[in-house]
Amino acid sequence: MDIKTITLYRIAMPLKTPFSTHLGTVKDREGIIVEVMDTEGRKGYGEGVAFSSPWYTEETVETSYYVLKEFLIPIMRKSDIKHPSDASRDFDALRRNQMAKAALETALWDLAAKKENSSLSKFIGGKREQILSGVVVGAKTKEEVRRQIESYLESGYQRVKIKISPENDYELISEIRRYYPDLPIMADANSGYSLEDIDQLKRLDDFGLMMIEQPLEHDDIVDHAKLQKELQTPICLDESIVTFNDARRAVELESCKVINIKIGRVGGLGAAKKIHDYCLDKGIAVWCGGMLEFGISRAHNIALASLEGFAIPGDISASERYWEEDIILPEVTVKNGMIKVPDKPGIGFEINEKRLSEVTISKESFVL
């Protein structure tokens, strides 16, 4: 791909509204922007979506940056990369560190699509011209949850995802159902339950939920299979699916009926597409999860969600939902619960250079 330079930007922006789960509250979002430039001056962009602390996975912004600088960029120097899939193959020499890998790999996908003068969506086989948009409610009290839901419905979002825990699940969902009896609802447990809570989780079958996401341990697929046999509500796996083989094993064990695909969590766009293709063949529903991203990762998610199998609204919402000003132009917008898939080359958005400069903490370039 004739890469000339790779530039790493470490950035930080405050969220418009703090985002809370039982694992903690995020007020300020750090991240890594990866820019790859070829010898003809074309630029591709990716985003590292690890958080500042290891509450979601073991990766952090700090560790991702270290792995990019000390291992992945040196691998790029030694490799003959003709296609983004070549980078994924070479990165496999390094275990895990999926978000660091995805940050660089997605930048290569953007660049490759631009080189072919193709939108990223079309470049990976996307069929949809618009994608369904959902939103996550990250509030603590029932009143705050209801207020956020009302606001999101007025903005046209087609489903909401709420965070639950053993302390608030039935009471919270019953309160929401009282006001919104027909609202499509996902419940995200973020590994807050164990098999001892089967009876408590079975009570949630009363509410006709779209799914319960990751109720058990973050790395489990065996106990989820036991739990799914007891529940009418579909189980969705999130943190448990870190590789294609994780997805394959979960499907073979019947651990879930839905898989949340996050590009960063599975190591890149190539792996995400491979999981999508497998699930489509096996009749497993998929949807695109979110990571409180900046606009670059959001743009990659839009391209991914344009693939045929993504029939469930993903966590891909408008830029203004999170940021006073995003780092892409135009910003992502939602109209009548839908997001238009860009048809311009690559991710289909320009970089807001002024905003990127304002939120950059550090910047480092590497010559290949």
Side-chain angles (χ1 to χ4, degrees), residues 3 13 43 126 169 173 181 183 212 255 292 310 318 363:
I3 306 300
M13 284 203 289
K43 295 179 180 179
D169 51 12
I173 298 174
L183 176 65
I212 299 175
S255 304
L292 302 179
F310 286 92
K363 175 181 174 182

Side-chain angles (χ1 to χ4, degrees), residues 34-286:
V34 178
E35 174 192 283
V36 295
M37 185 175 72
D38 68 11
T39 53
E40 296 182 32
R42 283 181 293 250
K43 295 179 180 179
Y45 291 90
E47 181 178 322
V49 297
F51 290 99
S52 300
S53 59
W55 64 269
Y56 176 72
T57 71
E58 68 277 11
E59 285 185 81
T60 67
V61 174
E62 196 72 40
T63 64
S64 290
Y65 195 96
Y66 175 78
V67 168
L68 280 160
K69 179 177 178 177
E70 299 295 332
F71 297 98
L72 297 180
I73 291 175
I75 287 173
M76 289 281 293
R77 287 196 176 106
K78 299 176 184 176
S79 300
D80 180 21
I81 294 175
K82 295 180 173 61
H83 187 273
S85 59
D86 296 334
S88 299
R89 175 203 63 209
D90 293 345
F91 292 169
D92 281 345
L94 185 66
R95 292 188 180 180
R96 307 284 282 204
N97 293 284
Q98 303 292 63
M99 293 178 183
K101 292 176 182 178
L104 183 48
E105 188 251 23
T106 50
L108 295 173
W109 277 102
D110 182 30
L111 181 63
K114 287 172 177 171
K115 189 172 183 178
E116 296 298 320
N117 199 33
S118 168
S119 71
L120 183 57
S121 166
K122 292 293 189 290
F123 193 64
I124 65 172
K127 305 294 185 184
R128 303 176 189 275
E129 295 182 357
Q130 296 185 95
I131 62 167
L132 297 166
S133 178
V135 69
V136 185
V137 177
K140 290 184 176 180
T141 68
K142 289 186 293 184
E143 293 73 20
E144 289 173 333
V145 168
R146 199 168 68 244
R147 191 160 51 246
Q148 283 191 14
I149 290 175
E150 188 64 34
S151 171
Y152 297 148
L153 293 178
E154 288 174 359
S155 298
Y157 290 102
Q158 300 199 14
R159 67 96 179 124
V160 299
K161 183 168 81 172
I162 60 170
K163 300 291 185 176
I164 61 170
S165 68
E167 293 74 35
N168 76 347
D169 51 12
Y170 196 90
E171 182 182 7
L172 176 60
I173 298 174
S174 61
E175 175 79 358
I176 295 170
R177 274 283 176 251
R178 186 159 68 91
Y179 286 90
Y180 309 103
D182 301 316
L183 176 65
I185 300 173
M186 301 177 182
D188 188 358
N190 284 120
S191 305
Y193 296 78
S194 72
L195 283 180
E196 295 178 359
D197 300 311
I198 282 181
D199 289 339
Q200 183 171 352
L201 288 165
K202 286 172 71 172
R203 293 180 70 205
L204 303 185
D205 286 337
D206 295 345
F207 299 115
L209 300 173
M210 297 175 70
M211 64 192 74
I212 299 175
E213 187 177 1
Q214 199 70 36
L216 306 180
E217 286 292 330
H218 68 94
D219 56 355
D220 171 76
I221 56 175
V222 174
D223 286 350
H224 278 102
K226 297 175 184 177
L227 179 61
Q228 182 65 90
K229 289 179 173 62
E230 299 290 330
L231 297 182
Q232 297 174 26
T233 305
I235 288 175
C236 169
L237 289 183
D238 177 5
E239 293 98 320
S240 293
I241 310 300
V242 180
T243 66
F244 169 78
N245 282 327
D246 290 337
R248 178 184 59 78
R249 294 178 186 118
V251 172
E252 290 182 1
L253 289 172
E254 299 182 352
S255 304
C256 61
K257 297 179 181 178
V258 185
I259 289 179
N260 169 346
I261 303 179
K262 292 177 179 173
I263 296 172
R265 195 192 66 238
V266 302
L269 189 54
K273 184 179 185 304
K274 187 177 180 181
I275 293 170
H276 159 273
D277 294 349
Y278 175 80
C279 289
L280 185 64
D281 180 62
K282 298 297 182 181
I284 299 295
V286 299

